């Protein structure tokens, strides 16, 4: 135990520092005596010797304390790793902010979709992006606020729906179980759809062309499209596609649904009367 105490790096370091200090004092005295005898300034020699002693002392101290320095370095590394792991989400959010600044996939006021969330961008900061949630089926604000960490914007797909704020390609489907030929009502229903879209037809055409130029792709519209078909269960299905102002989409859908059922029941009555006469 006494040996361990005597060989402790602290005591060894004190001894070595004392020896180094003693050597430097001795060098000063020897240099002074030699300079007096030869009447020559040799202080530069003593300075060089003392620098060599200091350099040797530093190397010896590093050797003596190498184990402790290594343990300390490992502790610092472990602490740094712990800090990085603890703040990983925060660091990723900051990186995500720089990603948004450099790529600019959207701006404040744009309508976007991030994963399953739809909304209007209200604010962006270093940590999060704030959105006012939108029900994409009704194009109305849900009065909810969504806070999305910026790191999610790196790993999730972002869809910019800004053009939907003014005009939207609106789809809806009507399904019926009755089985008879519905095509006699197709032309009348299409004319009625065009009539409902007539007031904004010119603006819709320009807006549709602008979006096509921006996307460099052909999109549906501006003419309304009505397609009759069947579901997987064999039921009748009427699919409507309208390119219309976003705020009027639901109103036009309700009007066309009302018109469809009026024509449908009218045609169903004709079929019943025909079957009765037969």
């Amino acid at each position: 135990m006494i040996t361990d105490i005597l060989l402790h790096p602290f005591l060894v370091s004190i001894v070595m520092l004392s020896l180094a200090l003693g050597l430097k004092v001795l060098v000063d005295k020897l240099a002074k005596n030699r300079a007096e005898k030869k009447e020559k300034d040799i202080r530069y020699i003593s300075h060089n010797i003392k620098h060599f002693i200091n350099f040797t002392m530093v190397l010896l101290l590093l050797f003596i304390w190498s184990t402790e320095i290594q343990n300390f370095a490992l502790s610092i590394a472990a602490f740094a790793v712990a800090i990085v792991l603890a703040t990983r989400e925060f660091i990723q959010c900051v990186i995500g902010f720089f990603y948004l600044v450099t790529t600019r996939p959207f701006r404040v006021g744009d309508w976007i979709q991030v994963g399953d969330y739809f909304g209007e961008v209200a604010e962006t900061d270093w940590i999060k992006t704030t959105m006012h949630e939108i029900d994409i089926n009704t194009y109305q604000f849900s009065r909810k606020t969504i806070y999305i960490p910026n790191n999610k914007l790196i790993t999730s797909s972002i869809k910019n729906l800004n053009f939907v704020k003014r005009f939207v390609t609106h789809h809806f489907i009507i399904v019926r179980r009755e089985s008879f030929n519905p095509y006699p009502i197709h032309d009348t229903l299409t004319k009625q759809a065009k009539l409902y879209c007539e007031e904004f037809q010119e603006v819709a055409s320009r807006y549709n062309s602008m979006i096509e130029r921006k996307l460099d792709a052909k999109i549906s519209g501006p003419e309304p499209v009505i397609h009759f078909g069947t579901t997987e269960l064999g039921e009748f299905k009427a699919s409507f596609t309208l390119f219309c102002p976003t705020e009027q989409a639901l109103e036009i859908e309700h009007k066309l649904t009302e018109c469809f059922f009026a024509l449908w029941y009218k045609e169903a009555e004709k079929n019943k009367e025909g079957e009765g006469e037969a």
Side-chain angles (χ1 to χ4, degrees):
M1 182 175 178
I2 297 176
T3 305
D4 293 337
I5 295 174
L6 293 175
L7 294 178
H8 192 277
F10 181 75
L11 292 178
V12 175
S13 299
I14 292 177
V15 172
M16 292 188 63
L17 288 172
S18 300
L19 290 175
L21 181 60
L23 286 174
K24 287 193 288 183
V25 171
L26 180 61
V27 167
D28 283 337
K29 287 184 177 181
L30 292 175
K32 185 177 180 181
N33 292 334
R34 190 176 181 82
E36 290 177 353
K37 289 179 180 181
K38 293 188 175 184
E39 297 181 355
K40 186 177 179 182
D41 189 2
I42 58 173
R43 286 180 296 178
Y44 70 95
I45 297 177
S46 65
H47 288 165
N48 290 335
I49 295 174
K50 286 191 288 186
H51 289 326
F52 177 75
I53 294 173
N54 290 334
F55 177 73
T56 304
M57 183 59 54
V58 170
L59 292 179
L60 291 174
L61 288 175
L62 288 175
F63 176 76
I64 293 171
W65 290 93
S66 60
T67 303
E68 284 69 16
I69 292 174
Q70 183 178 6
N71 293 334
F72 179 74
L74 291 175
S75 300
I76 291 296
F79 179 74
V81 171
I83 290 295
V84 170
L85 291 176
T87 60
R88 180 180 57 183
E89 297 293 332
F90 177 80
I91 295 172
Q92 289 177 347
C93 287
V94 174
I95 294 174
F97 175 78
F98 284 107
Y99 166 75
L100 294 179
V101 171
T102 54
T103 60
R104 298 186 67 83
F106 56 81
R107 298 181 180 181
V108 173
D110 286 357
W111 285 16
I112 65 171
Q113 176 186 354
V114 181
D116 296 329
Y117 299 104
F118 298 85
E120 181 180 275
V121 180
E123 183 184 2
T124 57
D125 56 36
W126 291 86
I127 305 301
K128 66 185 183 303
T129 296
T130 305
M131 296 195 313
H132 297 314
E133 188 181 40
I134 295 173
D135 185 346
I136 199 61
N137 296 314
T138 62
Y139 314 108
Q140 302 294 322
F141 289 98
S142 66
R143 300 180 182 179
K144 297 178 182 178
T145 302
I146 304 174
Y147 299 98
I148 300 179
N150 289 336
N151 62 328
K152 300 297 182 184
L153 301 179
I154 301 178
T155 58
S156 302
S157 60
I158 302 174
K159 295 183 181 180
N160 194 311
L161 309 175
N162 198 42
F163 74 91
V164 178
K165 290 182 66 175
R166 187 174 180 188
F167 274 82
V168 63
T169 303
H170 184 61
H171 301 276
F172 67 96
I173 296 174
I174 299 176
V175 177
R176 301 296 299 167
R177 293 184 178 180
E178 292 86 343
S179 58
F180 63 86
N181 181 21
Y183 280 92
I185 69 173
H186 185 273
D187 292 340
T188 305
L189 195 60
T190 301
K191 290 179 182 179
Q192 197 65 34
K194 290 181 179 180
L195 180 63
Y196 293 144
C197 299
E198 185 177 8
E199 62 175 304
F200 52 80
Q201 186 68 24
E202 183 179 351
V203 178
S205 298
R206 293 200 302 269
Y207 201 75
N208 189 77
S209 300
M210 181 188 70
I211 295 174
E212 287 182 341
R213 288 196 302 270
K214 186 174 182 180
L215 299 178
D216 194 21
K218 184 69 176 177
I219 61 175
S220 60
E223 294 290 333
V225 177
I226 301 175
H227 176 72
F228 288 170
T230 57
T231 65
E232 295 179 355
L233 300 178
E235 299 173 339
F236 170 78
K237 178 179 70 175
S239 301
F240 297 78
T241 303
L242 308 170
F243 188 73
C244 59
T246 304
E247 65 272 10
Q248 298 184 34
L250 293 181
E251 180 183 352
I252 297 174
E253 177 183 340
H254 293 159
K255 289 181 179 179
L256 284 175
T257 302
E258 181 182 2
C259 180
F260 171 83
F261 280 109
L263 295 172
W264 177 271
Y265 287 122
K266 184 177 180 181
E267 190 65 25
E269 290 296 329
K270 288 182 180 179
N271 279 277
K272 288 181 181 179
E273 291 176 2
E275 292 175 359
E277 291 177 0

